[in-house]
Each structure stands twice: as C-alpha cells, then as structure tokens.
Amino acid sequence: MGNYSFRSDIQGLRAIAVIAVILYHFEIPIVKGGFVGVDIFFVISGYIISKTIIQKVEEKSFNFRDFYFSRIKRLYPALLATIFTVYLGGLVFLSPIDLKELSTTSIFASIGVSNIYFWLTSGYFDNFASLKPLLHTWSLGVEFQFYLIWPFFIFLIYKLNRFQFTIILIITIISGIVSYKFLKLNATGAFFLMPFRIHEFSIGTLTFLIERKGFGRKTINNGLYILGAVLIFIAIFKFNSGKLSFPGKVVWIPLCGTALMIYAGSTLYFDKIINNKLLIHIGEISYSLYLTHWPIFVFYKYITPESIIDYKTITCLLLLTIIFSHLLYRFIEKPFRLNNYSKLLYISVCQTSVICITTISFCSYIGKGWEWRLPQNLRIANSINIDEMHNYTWSNQIPYAKLKNFSDNGKEKILIIGDSQAADLINLLAANGNDKKFDIVARTIHHECSIPYIDIAKRQTYFTKVNPNTIADPNSISRCHRQLNSIVKNQHLLRQADRIFVSFIWYDYTAPYIDEALNKLDELSGGHKL
C-alpha cells in the first residue's frame, strides 16, 4: 500500500511472524508461543497504516475512499479466494454438521466479522479448533474493523495539530489496561474483539512517531534491534497457550519487541543477515502463507483423525502450504494488488464474490450441510438433534446426582464421579436396566474443571495458568471450586461406596495432577475402591 519506502527488514519481520504461526499451528513442540506471530502482524499493520495516513494527511493528499479501496485491493481478493476454495474442500470432505458450521463461518469471514462469530461460539485454544478451517480469519476481522475506525481517528487528531503523540500514547495505555481487565471477565472476548487489540496496532503508530524524530545512534539501534529480537523469540519459544491468560500483561513482550525491531531495523550494521532473499521472499508471500496453512492442516486432521503429527507429516504439510501459497500469491494476491484495474472492476468482482459465497453458504446452512451428499443410511445417523442428545446425556445422571446418600437397599454401592463421560457411563448401565442392579449415587464435576480433586493451595495456579478451559472462562472457576469441595465434604459417600468410578475427558495438562487426585480420593474412601 501506498506512500512509504520499502523496508526489507519489515519483510523479514513478517517472515518471522508467519513462520512462528505456521509452526505453532503444525504443533511443533518447541514453538508453543508461535501464536504471538499474529500480534507481531498487528504492530506491523499499525506502523504501516499509520505512517501512510499521517504522511498523506500532512501532505493534504489523504482520501478516505482511496484508503479503503487500497485495503480492499490488498486483502480481499486472496481472502475471498481462500474462503471459496475452503468451502469447495468442505463440500468434498466435511460431514453435513461440519459443513453447516463452515457455511456460517464463510458468511461471517467474507464480510470481515468472523472474529465476532468465533467470540460468540468458541475459543481460539479450544479442543474443536482443529475442525474449523477458517478459524484463522479472526485476525483479519480484527484488522478490517481497525481499518474502519483508525483513519478517522488519525485524521482528526492531526487536524487538531497538537499533542498527537500524547493522545496516541494515552490511547495505547488505556486500551492495554482495559484489555487486561476485560480478560478476567471474558477471556474469549478479550482475545477476539478489536477494541481489546487497539493497543497492539497503536504501538505501531507510536513507533513511527518516535522514528521520525530520529532518536538513537546506529550503534544504539543495533542494540535495540537485538533486544527486540530477544523479546520476540522469548515469546515464541517460552509462551504456552495452555498456561497463559492471553492477551494479558505478557502480550507487551512481543509487542515491545516488534516495535524495537521496526524502529531500529532500517539502520543495522548486520542488515545483510536480516535482509536475506529467503526471508524477504517469505515476508512478501506471508499473507498467502497465512491464509493457506491452516485450512491445509485442518483438512489433514479431519481426513486422518487418528494420525500422529510427526516430522514427516509436518514436512508434507509445509510443502503443501508452500505450493498453495505460491499459487494464491501468483494468480490472485499479486495480480490484484499490483495491476491497475479500475476501482469499479475491483469492487464489482469483490461484491460479486461475496454475494456468491454468502448465498451458497446460506443455502448449505439452511440445507443442514446438504445431507443429500450422504447415502440414505448415513442421512438418518446424521440427523441428530443436538439439544435432544444433550438432554439424553444427562437424563439418567441428574436423578442420581440429586441423591444425598446411598439407599442402603442391600445392593452394591457405586459412586460415579465426573463430567459427561460419567453421565455416559450411567447411560450404558441404564440402557439394559443394569443401573437398577446397583445402589448408585453420582457427583457431577463439569468438563471445564477437568479434574476430580486438586489441593486448595494449587487451585489458583491450576485454574488461572494451567487449565485453558477456566482461563478462557474465568466465571467457571467458582463453579469448579464448589464441585471439587463437594467431593471432599461428601467423603462419607466415598467411604460407604463399594466401588468408585471416576470418568472424565482427560487432557494433557491434567496429567501432572491425576495421580494426586486419584490418590486423594483413594485415601478418603478408605482404599482399594477406585
């Protein structure tokens, strides 16, 4: 876009960001913080967009219509091509239920608000993310919404012609504080919604305003650049989505690192190392790489759900990503970005594409994922009423969970503890009337808690830094406390039971706590019942 000098070091920074995101999504163990690549992109976008707007405003050549057209020209063709291709893949590979979900996502993504949809329906780090081939478009939704408001804001404060830096600094600080506070109320909203990401873009604006003042000598800038790189790599290699409330205070580490690298990147002694042809090329196609990598991974996981993501698989996925990203870049992104087609043609093509995508997606949505694609016998199995299924799951468990004590009816006493897996165990017993052969009491611990017992001294750390379910939904923590406490308070049930079944959806992050939990339940029960 527009009126700024080419910065090969920024292309290199883009390369680092997109590589981090791809390796994180491809489940490379050492890159557990690769998701911060998106935050790096936000800072870069804030820097470039603000620089272009400010320069044009000062030259009295800024035009809102031209600005928005440049953003459409830069971002929309490749995005729409990705959505359409993913939808075609969904027609071939996805079940009706999952195609229906993709249909909804395609509509929201094509109009630039998929982040709002994902906020309302899920979390970025949840367990079903690998079934959503357009989940990564949330960041584009954030960018689109930022582009809607930021030009007006920059235009206004520069027309005032006073205190520009101070105003933007205050906005950055306030946005960061509000984001951190809101994270404790609604972590998913703080992650997906644009207002809680403004500080990530505005740091880029501050970087440009400081940069144009020319602070720092070349030797000092080299140190700043190295410091920035260290901060970014700390985030990429040390952050862990399962142990962080994100974006929280820690987001300032990659944000400041990015700002330092942008500020100092144009005056380096070792620029030949940073500005090598490979990194510059990766930075050049970074948008296409970002768009293509996640759908490729999702479809692979969907088609081969039992497969292990080993390094051979990762190599194949990377090769596919490189191939498809080059096709997208060569035939869609680059031609639409560089060729001087008329504005009317650009807008017409984009509008027509959006209408086609939303119309087809809406049809497949109301058509229940187009069940006609399935053989007749599978259509019956697919026509599951989710509400009825949920009600059935808990229908037999709820009466047993209401019981305060065993009936002492002479039957074997069984205590069943857990989430919906425990409810399914009761359903299995009830299916043939076998539940009537036992004296059953149940205790519910919802899946967000993920554990039947944890020492009180460890709970704060577990719920706020380890368990991604409670990190994403802090409101569930109090319920988990109540349910875990009820197990200990009702230890007479543990002692009276002849057998105890503990049934959960077990997660990797619970592994260090499972033995302690089961040992404690065994101790409270008197031993040898689990």
Side-chain angles (χ1 to χ4, degrees):
M1 170 186 168
N3 187 26
Y4 74 95
S5 58
F6 176 79
R7 291 272 301 269
S8 56
D9 64 289
I10 289 181
Q11 294 291 56
L13 189 52
R14 280 195 177 105
I16 293 171
V18 78
I19 290 171
V21 172
I22 292 172
L23 296 184
Y24 167 72
H25 282 156
F26 285 3
E27 300 179 359
I28 303 294
I30 63 171
V31 194
K32 291 186 177 180
F35 55 87
V36 302
V38 173
D39 305 276
I40 295 171
F41 277 124
F42 286 165
V43 179
I44 294 172
S45 292
Y47 171 82
I48 292 174
I49 294 303
S50 299
K51 180 175 183 177
T52 303
I53 295 172
I54 291 168
Q55 288 179 341
K56 285 184 175 292
V57 168
E58 292 177 340
E59 295 167 1
K60 298 183 179 179
S61 61
F62 179 74
N63 182 286
F64 285 100
R65 184 165 27 180
D66 289 343
F67 172 81
Y68 290 120
F69 174 69
S70 71
R71 292 293 83 201
I72 292 173
K73 183 178 177 181
R74 174 69 179 90
L75 299 174
Y76 245 92
L79 172 62
L80 294 175
T82 301
I83 294 171
F84 182 72
T85 305
V86 168
Y87 184 84
L88 291 179
L91 281 176
V92 176
F93 297 114
L94 298 185
S95 71
I97 291 174
D98 294 320
L99 180 61
K100 183 179 178 182
E101 166 71 18
L102 176 61
S103 300
T104 309
T105 308
S106 297
I107 294 171
F108 281 88
S110 65
I111 59 176
V113 292
S114 63
N115 60 316
I116 296 174
Y117 172 73
F118 290 124
W119 163 58
L120 294 171
T121 59
S122 65
Y124 183 66
F125 302 114
D126 69 24
N127 297 303
F128 299 102
S130 61
L131 299 178
K132 301 171 183 176
L134 292 175
L135 177 63
H136 64 321
T137 62
W138 75 269
S139 65
L140 299 176
V142 172
E143 290 215 26
F144 291 157
Q145 292 148 34
F146 175 78
Y147 295 153
L148 283 176
I149 66 166
W150 200 243
F152 291 97
F153 176 72
I154 293 292
F155 185 82
L156 178 61
I157 66 170
Y158 267 80
K159 283 297 181 181
L160 295 174
N161 203 31
R162 297 181 66 187
F163 310 117
Q164 293 97 333
F165 181 86
T166 302
I167 293 172
I168 294 174
L169 177 61
I170 292 172
I171 291 293
T172 302
I173 295 171
I174 291 175
S175 172
I177 293 172
V178 170
S179 176
Y180 176 69
K181 295 294 184 181
F182 191 73
L183 182 70
K184 297 180 178 180
L185 300 175
N186 188 321
T188 306
F191 187 92
F192 281 118
L193 299 182
M194 182 274 295
F196 307 107
R197 297 283 189 160
I198 286 178
H199 57 295
E200 302 193 24
F201 294 94
S202 61
I203 282 180
T205 310
L206 292 174
T207 302
F208 168 66
L209 295 178
I210 296 172
E211 174 190 81
R212 71 194 320 209
K213 295 181 181 297
F215 294 144
R217 297 179 180 178
K218 193 169 183 178
T219 51
I220 295 175
N221 285 351
N222 278 280
L224 293 177
Y225 190 90
I226 293 171
L227 174 60
V230 169
L231 292 176
I232 283 178
F233 286 117
I234 285 174
I236 291 172
F237 293 109
K238 294 298 183 181
F239 283 10
N240 187 329
S241 61
K243 298 182 179 181
L244 288 176
S245 297
F246 197 86
K249 294 178 182 178
V250 293
V251 77
W252 293 97
I253 294 175
L255 296 186
C256 292
T258 306
L260 289 172
M261 290 182 74
I262 293 173
Y263 174 76
S266 61
T267 59
L268 297 176
Y269 286 124
F270 46 89
D271 59 326
K272 289 184 180 180
I273 299 175
I274 304 301
N275 302 335
N276 67 78
K277 291 183 179 180
L278 178 60
L279 278 182
I280 291 173
H281 177 66
I282 294 173
E284 178 69 17
I285 66 169
S286 59
Y287 183 48
S288 289
L289 283 166
Y290 182 78
L291 287 173
T292 56
H293 83 281
W294 180 245
I296 289 171
F297 180 77
V298 170
F299 281 122
Y300 172 78
K301 291 277 285 186
Y302 194 91
I303 296 167
T304 59
E306 301 299 324
S307 63
I308 298 173
I309 306 296
D310 56 21
Y311 284 98
K312 289 182 180 179
T313 302
I314 291 168
T315 301
C316 292
L317 292 174
L318 286 173
L319 288 173
L320 286 172
T321 299
I322 291 169
I323 292 169
F324 279 97
S325 63
H326 274 89
L327 290 173
L328 182 63
Y329 178 77
R330 171 68 177 82
F331 294 106
I332 303 293
E333 181 187 347
K334 188 176 180 180
F336 275 89
R337 188 180 73 192
L338 299 181
N339 290 340
N340 292 319
Y341 302 126
S342 69
K343 291 182 180 179
L344 179 61
L345 177 61
Y346 272 107
I347 300 300
S348 297
V349 169
C350 288
Q351 283 182 336
T352 302
S353 299
V354 170
I355 291 170
C356 288
I357 289 171
T358 54
T359 301
I360 295 171
S361 298
F362 182 72
C363 289
S364 58
Y365 175 80
I366 62 175
K368 298 180 180 180
W370 282 341
E371 294 176 341
W372 51 260
R373 297 176 299 133
L374 296 177
Q376 181 62 36
N377 58 332
L378 290 181
R379 292 184 207 175
I380 297 172
N382 186 74
S383 57
I384 298 171
N385 185 303
I386 300 299
D387 291 333
E388 288 181 5
M389 183 177 69
H390 180 270
N391 292 336
Y392 171 76
T393 298
W394 295 100
S395 59
N396 291 301
Q397 193 267 3
I398 289 174
Y400 290 117
K402 290 181 179 179
L403 297 175
K404 295 182 179 180
N405 295 290
F406 289 105
S407 300
D408 288 327
N409 52 16
K411 299 177 182 178
E412 184 177 9
K413 297 181 178 65
I414 294 179
L415 177 61
I416 299 176
I417 301 171
D419 55 17
S420 60
Q421 303 297 304
D424 284 336
L425 175 58
I426 294 175
N427 289 334
L428 285 173
L429 291 171
N432 295 313
N434 289 325
D435 60 324
K436 304 304 179 186
K437 298 178 181 179
F438 303 99
D439 186 0
I440 298 176
V441 173
R443 286 295 177 263
T444 305
I445 301 176
H446 284 97
H447 80 278
E448 291 91 349
C449 313
S450 308
I451 200 78
Y453 171 85
I454 188 167
D455 187 80
I456 293 177
K458 298 178 181 179
R459 289 185 188 179
Q460 179 68 16
T461 299
Y462 174 75
F463 288 134
T464 61
K465 298 185 182 301
V466 176
N467 184 343
N469 294 314
T470 48
I471 291 172
D473 181 15
N475 292 327
S476 66
I477 295 177
S478 59
R479 182 171 66 238
C480 288
H481 277 299
R482 281 198 311 274
Q483 292 175 347
L484 295 181
N485 290 340
S486 72
I487 300 299
V488 177
K489 289 179 180 177
N490 289 274
Q491 57 182 283
H492 66 282
L493 294 174
L494 295 166
R495 293 192 173 277
Q496 293 170 8
D498 297 307
R499 281 191 286 175
I500 300 170
F501 292 90
V502 180
S503 185
F504 274 90
I505 300 177
W506 300 110
Y507 299 99
D508 290 344
Y509 59 83
T510 59
Y513 302 90
I514 292 174
D515 285 344
E516 178 188 353
L518 297 180
N519 288 338
K520 183 64 176 181
L521 294 179
D522 191 55
E523 174 192 327
L524 292 174
S525 71
H528 309 296
K529 296 180 181 180
L530 272 70

